[in-house]
Amino acid sequence: MKKQILNSLTTAFFLSLIIFISCGDDDGPSGPTAAEAQFELLAKTWSVTSATADGSPVDGWTDLTITFGGTATAGTYTTNGMQPDGTSLVWPTSGTRTWTFESEENVNTINRNDGVAISLAVDANQATLNFSIVDNSGRTDIVEGAWRFVLSPQ
């Protein structure tokens, strides 16, 4: 009789343990999504520390600031300060523009509303933006090519 009670108690204990372990927080993942985490790093005002076009340094960009804002699903950016003449296709010189992440899975590419896709590497201390400009207006000697901007937070 004692053995039967002991077996019943042991079985009840293990069943209770299994039920307890299987009960958990079923509210889904906690914390920010990949897009929210990347946006949090990007959303601030940045100063241009260097600019290159087709691998060659380009002067005249260090007075430019770029402010990223909005939300992780509907980003905005504005530019402020001086930039070389004739380069408004690289960074528009006025107004607030929009951008979105390539996708929830690809938060290392942002798409500007003018069709330019920007490869993005960002952390708390630096952002590196790589993109190409194709200019069909005939001013290709100034802006067309592969651009790289290295930014630091203000």
Side-chain angles (χ1 to χ4, degrees):
M1 180 77 159
K2 285 185 181 184
K3 187 174 182 180
Q4 195 175 25
I5 292 174
L6 183 59
N7 283 341
S8 295
L9 287 175
T10 302
T11 302
F13 172 75
F14 282 112
L15 286 174
S16 298
L17 186 61
I18 290 171
I19 290 171
F20 178 75
I21 290 172
S22 68
C23 291
D25 184 12
D26 293 335
D27 293 339
S30 61
T33 65
E36 291 167 339
Q38 187 80 314
F39 176 78
E40 189 171 317
L41 289 171
L42 186 62
K44 61 183 77 157
T45 299
W46 298 87
S47 297
V48 174
T49 57
S50 69
T52 59
D54 292 328
S56 298
V58 180
D59 294 330
W61 289 95
T62 55
D63 291 331
L64 182 71
T65 61
I66 305 169
T67 302
F68 292 93
T71 66
T73 57
T76 62
Y77 72 92
T78 56
T79 58
N80 219 343
M82 299 296 293
Q83 65 189 56
D85 289 336
T87 59
S88 63
L89 286 178
V90 178
W91 288 108
T93 55
S94 64
T96 299
R97 311 285 187 211
T98 60
W99 62 269
T100 57
F101 286 116
E102 178 76 19
S103 66
E104 179 62 37
E105 296 77 32
N106 183 3
V107 296
N108 295 318
T109 300
I110 60 175
N111 294 314
R112 292 191 331 202
N113 65 312
D114 60 0
V116 174
I118 300 173
S119 173
L120 170 70
V122 63
D123 62 32
N125 302 311
Q126 180 174 292
T128 303
L129 311 175
N130 295 291
F131 55 93
S132 293
I133 297 294
V134 177
D135 181 12
N136 295 323
S137 69
R139 297 180 299 147
T140 58
D141 58 328
I142 296 175
V143 297
E144 191 169 68
W147 286 85
R148 177 186 198 93
F149 285 85
V150 177
L151 313 173
S152 61
Q154 278 195 318

